[in-house]
Amino acid sequence: MLNERSLAVHQDCSDCPIRHRAVCARCETDELQRLEEIKYYRRYEAGSHVIWSGDRMDFVGSVVSGIATLTQTMEDGRTQMVGLLLPSDFVGRPGRDTAAYDVVATTDIVMCCFRKKPFEDMMVRTPHIAQRLLEMTLDELDAAREWMLVLGRKTAREKIASLLSIIARRDATLNMRGTEGQIVFDLPLTREAMADYLGLTLETVSRQISALRKDGVIELEGKRHVTIPDMGRLMEEAGDDADGGLLI
Amino acid sequence: MLNERSLAVHQDCSDCPIRHRAVCARCETDELQRLEEIKYYRRYEAGSHVIWSGDRMDFVGSVVSGIATLTQTMEDGRTQMVGLLLPSDFVGRPGRDTAAYDVVATTDIVMCCFRKKPFEDMMVRTPHIAQRLLEMTLDELDAAREWMLVLGRKTAREKIASLLSIIARRDATLNMRGTEGQIVFDLPLTREAMADYLGLTLETVSRQISALRKDGVIELEGKRHVTIPDMGRLMEEAGDDADGGLLI
DNA sequence: CGGGGGGTTGATCTCCTTCAATCAACGTGG
DNA sequence: CCACGTTGATTGAAGGAGATCAACCCCCCG
């Protein structure tokens, strides 16, 4: 299986696929070497919990491949996704030892982990790590705030369009393709997961996706394979300014 | 006027009211001295814009006194508050020079400002500042994510109860009072501002506050003066676990 | 073949929005 | 001092967007 192979292949930081985007992005060769000594890889199957909210966390780490979600759940079962973890995203908070959220693997994922204590020690001695972590945290804060506008003020249709446009944009940057012409990607989430992200029910998600398809804003092949013929149109539907307005 | 007096009085960092909570909290005496050289105070009147979204930002700073809001606005006028800035909270993002949000003074406020470039230079040389900023940013990220649950999954009544409980808690910690017994505070926000925070209309806010009053969950004197007879009851109404579950 | 997970679609209901009238408090100028 | 406008807030009536409940489809897998 590919994920198992990657466990073997990516022992060396120098050819790590997330090297230039992860928490270690700013590290010099010697710093990287010290990180390499305390790191270990770990694989999680699709659907499994990486972390349970409230549990003690003895490690932090980066998503190397695959997709995970950060979710919050109320006692009566209502759940809200509060983050989508893609390759290079960081999991865990130095300085806190209890997890605040559930982290669930959406696909099979590989994580590059560090035991929390050694990592915290390194952070003190290695400003490059703390600097990069600050930068990433500020980006996440911006993303969270952008999402607050989606959750608080957008209609169901706009919410769906916003989610699609975010996934499309991320996909485009990951694969180094521009946002000109048509964009094609696979939805990494079930309808239910999308609903949890958007603060909707899965039925509403399904209906709105159908509506966007009917109106020609998106094209669907099967349930998951999406084509965006006109990115500008999608962003209009999302209620975003079609050109500027992008923070990242 | 009190605010003007404070401009004169708080020239000295050593008796600054937010000294132990702001971005400078971890600084040693010598570091503080260097900060003192590049800082300046600035006063904004209630209702005025501290920063316009999209504008060039040439400074960062801390709220010393008063309350400000962080808001995002769509082209058609829908607005969502994405943060509430209380004394000691930090404004601005090192590394970015365009403001992503509107910052508006809700009351008269005093800010302790630093020109961005000198502050960024200091950050590189002073890990204590970067450390503290990371800590504060992580806290804000947690707050933003807690709020995503409120926006995405809670009912109007729960939203109001959540907002009241957050303000009550903050007020209690600021004034070093416990959350036992009854809690009394003044709402720092208009009904409209609350609506922008909660993703509701101001009419719904008004109705739900009336309902909570009718049900004895809160008591009102005038429009703004609130008494919480039973904090546990309020937190139940907010959909939160009445005891644990608090991150901060 | 049966069963289950993921998805779509329909009918109905309800919570919140929208539109609108009214009120209290406050300041202002004639 | 009072009519007037303004601002913030409350309350009512009507309408609609999305939730809820439910049936059904498709596809894969044991």
Side-chain angles (χ1 to χ4, degrees):
Chain A
M1 213 172 172
L2 199 112
N3 278 318
E4 278 158 8
R5 273 186 57 210
S6 61
L7 283 179
V9 171
H10 295 310
Q11 295 292 16
D12 192 359
C13 287
S14 58
D15 54 55
C16 174
I18 57 166
R19 166 80 181 87
H20 55 300
R21 299 205 43 178
V23 73
C24 51
R26 297 258 195 93
C27 289
E28 311 284 354
T29 336
D30 57 323
E31 295 167 339
L32 220 51
Q33 208 149 29
R34 265 176 292 150
L35 269 181
E36 199 136 357
E37 283 161 21
I38 64 169
K39 89 181 187 196
Y40 57 96
Y41 288 100
R42 200 157 160 199
R43 194 173 157 282
Y44 296 87
E45 286 188 2
S48 66
H49 264 74
V50 177
I51 297 158
W52 294 87
S53 171
D55 275 12
R56 185 170 182 74
M57 272 209 60
D58 51 350
F59 71 93
V60 298
S62 304
V63 177
V64 177
S65 66
I67 292 177
T69 63
L70 221 55
T71 59
Q72 243 177 334
T73 305
M74 296 171 66
E75 293 108 83
D76 61 7
R78 283 177 279 177
T79 77
Q80 175 65 50
M81 198 183 297
V82 295
L84 194 55
L85 299 170
L86 302 188
S88 84
D89 283 340
F90 189 77
V91 176
R93 167 168 178 169
R96 202 210 324 277
D97 45 30
T98 307
Y101 315 99
D102 289 319
V103 179
V104 182
T106 292
T107 63
D108 286 1
I109 66 172
V110 174
M111 301 254 325
C112 172
C113 303
F114 309 96
R115 273 178 304 123
K116 199 156 74 68
K117 191 65 173 53
F119 185 82
E120 284 168 359
D121 293 343
M122 260 209 79
M123 251 185 66
V124 177
R125 286 178 290 118
T126 318
H128 282 153
I129 295 179
Q131 277 170 24
R132 176 66 187 143
L133 189 56
L134 174 58
E135 197 173 47
M136 291 172 74
T137 306
L138 285 165
D139 285 341
E140 275 187 277
L141 184 56
D142 280 333
R145 284 174 167 162
E146 188 185 344
W147 210 248
M148 287 173 70
L149 176 66
V150 173
L151 290 173
R153 291 302 183 191
K154 292 196 178 180
T155 64
R157 185 183 175 98
E158 289 170 330
K159 285 180 176 182
I160 297 289
S162 298
L163 179 57
L164 292 175
S165 109
I166 284 185
I167 295 176
R169 252 185 287 156
R170 284 194 178 174
D171 206 72
T173 54
L174 263 184
N175 302 326
M176 308 298 196
R177 284 189 257 101
T179 51
E180 312 304 320
Q182 68 176 26
I183 303 181
V184 181
F185 59 91
D186 282 303
L187 280 175
L189 303 172
T190 65
R191 300 292 187 260
E192 187 181 19
M194 289 191 247
D196 284 344
Y197 205 172
L198 297 166
L200 297 171
T201 58
L202 65 91
E203 293 95 330
T204 301
V205 170
S206 183
R207 277 185 243 275
Q208 296 297 338
I209 288 183
S210 297
L212 288 175
R213 185 177 46 65
K214 205 166 295 171
D215 297 346
V217 182
I218 62 173
E219 287 157 25
L220 274 182
E221 220 172 310
K223 316 288 186 183
R224 300 291 196 92
H225 194 72
V226 181
T227 302
I228 312 287
D230 179 356
M231 194 60 191
R233 173 79 195 284
L234 181 65
M235 296 190 60
E236 274 173 40
E237 291 285 354
D240 294 338
D241 215 335
D243 26 67
L246 301 187
L247 286 172
I248 312 169
Chain B
M1 210 172 173
L2 197 110
N3 277 319
E4 277 156 10
R5 273 185 57 210
S6 61
L7 283 181
V9 171
H10 295 311
Q11 296 292 17
D12 193 358
C13 288
S14 57
D15 54 56
C16 173
I18 57 166
R19 165 80 180 88
H20 54 301
R21 298 206 43 178
V23 73
C24 52
R26 299 260 192 93
C27 288
E28 312 284 354
T29 336
D30 57 323
E31 295 166 340
L32 221 50
Q33 209 148 28
R34 266 175 292 150
L35 268 182
E36 200 136 350
E37 284 161 21
I38 63 169
K39 88 182 188 195
Y40 57 97
Y41 289 99
R42 199 156 161 200
R43 193 174 158 282
Y44 296 87
E45 287 189 0
S48 66
H49 264 74
V50 177
I51 295 157
W52 294 87
S53 170
D55 274 12
R56 186 170 182 76
M57 273 208 61
D58 50 351
F59 71 93
V60 298
S62 303
V63 177
V64 177
S65 67
I67 291 178
T69 63
L70 221 54
T71 58
Q72 244 178 334
T73 305
M74 296 171 66
E75 294 107 83
D76 61 7
R78 283 177 279 176
T79 76
Q80 175 65 49
M81 198 183 297
V82 296
L84 195 56
L85 299 170
L86 302 187
S88 82
D89 282 340
F90 189 76
V91 176
R93 167 169 177 167
R96 195 195 349 259
D97 45 30
T98 306
Y101 315 100
D102 289 318
V103 180
V104 181
T106 291
T107 64
D108 286 1
I109 65 172
V110 175
M111 301 256 324
C112 172
C113 303
F114 310 95
R115 275 179 302 122
K116 199 156 73 72
K117 191 63 173 54
F119 185 82
E120 285 168 356
D121 293 343
M122 261 211 76
M123 250 184 66
V124 176
R125 283 180 291 119
T126 319
H128 282 154
I129 297 179
Q131 277 169 27
R132 176 66 187 140
L133 189 57
L134 174 58
E135 198 173 46
M136 292 173 74
T137 306
L138 285 164
D139 284 342
E140 277 187 275
L141 184 55
D142 280 334
R145 284 173 168 164
E146 189 184 344
W147 209 249
M148 286 173 69
L149 177 65
V150 173
L151 290 173
R153 291 302 183 191
K154 293 197 177 178
T155 65
R157 185 183 175 98
E158 288 170 332
K159 285 180 176 183
I160 298 288
S162 297
L163 178 58
L164 292 175
S165 109
I166 282 186
I167 295 175
R169 252 185 287 157
R170 283 194 179 173
D171 205 72
T173 54
L174 262 184
N175 301 327
M176 307 300 196
R177 285 189 256 101
T179 51
E180 312 303 318
Q182 68 175 25
I183 303 182
V184 181
F185 60 91
D186 282 303
L187 279 175
L189 303 174
T190 65
R191 300 290 187 261
E192 188 181 18
M194 288 191 249
D196 284 343
Y197 206 172
L198 298 166
L200 297 171
T201 59
L202 67 91
E203 293 95 330
T204 302
V205 170
S206 184
R207 277 183 243 274
Q208 296 298 336
I209 288 183
S210 297
L212 288 174
R213 185 178 46 65
K214 203 165 295 168
D215 297 346
V217 181
I218 61 174
E219 286 156 26
L220 275 181
E221 223 173 307
K223 316 288 187 184
R224 301 289 197 93
H225 194 73
V226 181
T227 303
I228 313 286
D230 179 356
M231 192 61 190
R233 172 79 195 285
L234 181 66
M235 294 188 62
E236 274 173 40
E237 291 285 354
D240 293 339
D241 215 335
D243 25 68
L246 300 187
L247 286 172
I248 312 171

